[in-house]
Amino acid sequence: MNLIEYTFSGRKVRYFLDTSFSRLKDVVSTQNMVIITDENVHRFHPELADFQLIVIPAGEQYKTQATVDTIIAQLIALEAVRKTVLVGIGGGVITDITGFTASIYMRGLSFGFVPTTILSQVDASIGGKNGIDRGLYKNMVGVIRQPDFILFDPSLLQSLPHDQWVNGFAEIIKHACIKDIGLFELLEQHRLEDFMHDSSLLTDMIKRNVVIKSNVVAADEFESGDRKLLNFGHTIGHAIENLYQLPHGHAVSIGMAWACSLSEKLNGFDTQGHERVKRLLQQYLLPTTFLLDTEKVFEVLKMDKKRVGASINFVLLNNIGEAVVKPILLSQLDTLIAET
Ligand code: NAD
């Protein structure tokens, strides 16, 4: 297995890259393991039947405390104890909810992830943010706690519907915009289909993104500095995701296009760069515009976790590959949303 290790706040996380799901049994003993997955992943992967399993309904609308409660009831029924290891096998909803449940059940179990969407392989499984939504407010309740391991099996992506491939590339483009102009240029040279059909191109892409996110988190696990940059596109993105029931990647894509306009207005980001980002998002079939209700969006934004007093911290671009955090007054934001 291709093993790399990252240390976050003194805690080691093992990444098994470009490996096979069948190796999970070598990482955790089957006896101690309880797998949490969703109905879609369960349907596509009958091999999961060999394990102690908790299956929850699929979708963001189930990333809630009510679902956590049903998982806890099933853990008790399975007689899960402190040495039980929870393994979340699925997309970002499953990894977020598994990490959260593992962090609170019996004051904390060990856990690991087998991410099965592009988005969860390049982003959601990495970095230790685990949580649930509360009504319209995304990830309102949660913890930062690292998994013991993440096992990456690119072949699990074969059953992924096309729209979920599109969804995942929003976070890849985000990484390129904030940290890696070379990655941006590579993406410009390709189409989504290239990555769907060329496994070595895909494996390299996943690894490159895993490294980008892990390096940012390793340098600033508790988001006092550079980790904030990973929120590029997410402030507006999160506000509209649950409000309009948009796929996460679509919401983030619209948020990034919006943040580019704002970067042009407030941060001297050049028009050409703005156009390039929009073109790349569209090249990967992502939306860049959305007709939104300014007042409703503003109401959700006011409760954003990045709010500090009368301002919200926004991630803006200086250049492609170089981002910066700027506080924007709520009073100013109201007008800016209406204008953009
Ligand atoms: P998701 O977990 O809802 O998965 C998307 C869909 O794909 C679901 O219907 C799922 O059942 C299905 N699916 C998953 N794997 C499959 C497979 N291999 N084959 C077929 N179908 C499959 O969503 P997502 O896009 O993976 O993740 C979005 C979530 O991730 C959001 O809740 C977001 O807040 C969270 N997130 C968290 C972080 C973090 O740092 N913790 C970062 C980014 C996103």
Side-chain angles (χ1 to χ4, degrees):
M1 280 194 270
N2 183 357
L3 170 68
I4 55 172
E5 290 181 346
Y6 271 90
T7 303
F8 304 102
S9 307
R11 196 181 162 93
K12 209 184 285 175
V13 183
R14 289 170 299 158
Y15 294 16
F16 301 101
L17 286 157
D18 193 16
T19 188
S20 158
F21 169 71
S22 62
R23 304 299 298 272
L24 179 62
K25 289 177 179 160
D26 304 329
V27 180
V28 192
S29 94
T30 316
Q31 225 183 346
N32 291 344
M33 177 177 10
V34 174
I35 286 177
I36 300 177
T37 191
D38 75 24
E39 283 167 349
N40 290 336
V41 178
H42 184 226
R43 192 171 62 247
F44 284 112
H45 295 283
E47 66 274 23
L48 293 178
D50 296 346
F51 298 88
Q52 295 196 86
L53 208 56
I54 295 175
V55 183
I56 64 170
E60 184 72 29
Q61 68 272 34
Y62 295 103
K63 204 174 100 173
T64 59
Q65 185 61 47
T67 307
V68 173
D69 291 344
T70 66
I71 295 173
I72 289 173
Q74 291 179 74
L75 287 172
I76 293 169
L78 288 168
E79 298 179 7
V81 288
R82 290 294 282 276
K83 68 173 186 183
T84 301
V85 180
L86 296 194
V87 180
I89 304 187
V93 168
I94 286 295
T95 54
D96 277 9
I97 212 163
T98 301
F100 181 62
T101 309
S103 302
I104 58 172
Y105 182 78
M106 289 194 172
R107 298 200 190 93
L109 305 182
S110 295
F111 62 101
F113 298 140
V114 182
T116 63
T117 60
I118 292 279
L119 189 140
S120 58
Q121 293 205 357
V122 300
D123 189 355
S125 65
I126 301 158
K129 281 191 183 176
N130 312 286
I132 50 172
D133 303 336
R134 169 69 209 179
L136 292 177
Y137 303 115
K138 285 266 311 164
N139 304 326
M140 195 55 151
V141 177
V143 295
I144 295 188
R145 192 160 176 269
Q146 298 294 340
D148 279 1
F149 68 89
I150 313 173
L151 190 149
F152 298 85
D153 177 352
S155 77
L156 293 171
L157 301 169
Q158 279 164 11
S159 56
L160 200 61
H162 187 267
D163 59 339
Q164 293 303 334
W165 281 84
V166 173
N167 206 27
F169 269 73
E171 301 288 4
I172 292 177
I173 294 173
K174 177 193 79 179
H175 286 155
C177 284
I178 60 166
K179 280 283 165 196
D180 191 344
I181 176 76
L183 175 59
F184 194 95
E185 286 162 356
L186 179 78
L187 288 163
E188 285 184 318
Q189 288 155 22
H190 288 281
R191 296 278 179 280
L192 182 62
E193 275 62 31
D194 299 342
F195 294 96
M196 292 176 73
H197 300 126
D198 181 336
S199 62
S200 85
L201 193 65
L202 176 66
T203 307
D204 287 350
M205 175 57 68
I206 290 170
K207 189 168 176 190
R208 188 164 179 165
N209 280 273
V210 165
V211 170
I212 292 175
K213 176 145 188 198
S214 303
N215 285 345
V216 171
V217 176
D220 176 29
E221 187 178 359
F222 295 99
E223 205 166 305
S224 54
D226 235 25
R227 186 166 187 173
K228 292 193 176 110
L229 301 181
L230 295 169
N231 294 321
F232 179 55
H234 281 62
T235 310
I236 288 289
H238 277 169
I240 61 176
E241 181 174 346
N242 285 8
L243 197 56
Y244 296 103
Q245 317 245 297
L246 297 175
H248 183 74
H250 284 208
V252 168
S253 175
I254 293 159
M256 286 192 282
W258 198 83
C260 282
S261 300
L262 212 58
S263 304
E264 206 183 326
K265 269 191 199 140
L266 305 179
N267 204 40
F269 181 47
D270 64 77
T271 314
Q272 226 185 348
H274 178 181
E275 285 308 315
R276 255 178 102 187
V277 175
K278 275 211 313 211
R279 220 173 18 248
L280 189 67
L281 291 167
Q282 286 159 5
Q283 187 173 317
Y284 284 82
L285 313 174
L286 285 157
T288 51
T289 53
F290 190 75
L291 202 57
L292 44 81
D293 180 330
T294 312
E295 257 176 55
K296 281 190 184 160
V297 172
F298 189 65
E299 277 309 303
V300 182
L301 270 181
K302 281 199 298 197
M303 282 304 291
D304 192 283
K305 294 187 287 302
K306 293 171 287 300
R307 178 172 170 181
V308 186
S311 307
I312 287 194
N313 281 329
F314 256 87
V315 184
L316 303 179
L317 296 185
N318 288 337
N319 294 298
I320 293 173
E322 191 192 328
V324 67
V325 178
K326 287 252 165 99
I328 299 181
L329 283 170
L330 279 171
S331 51
Q332 192 188 3
L333 196 59
D334 200 5
T335 326
L336 285 166
I337 296 175
E339 284 173 5
T340 309

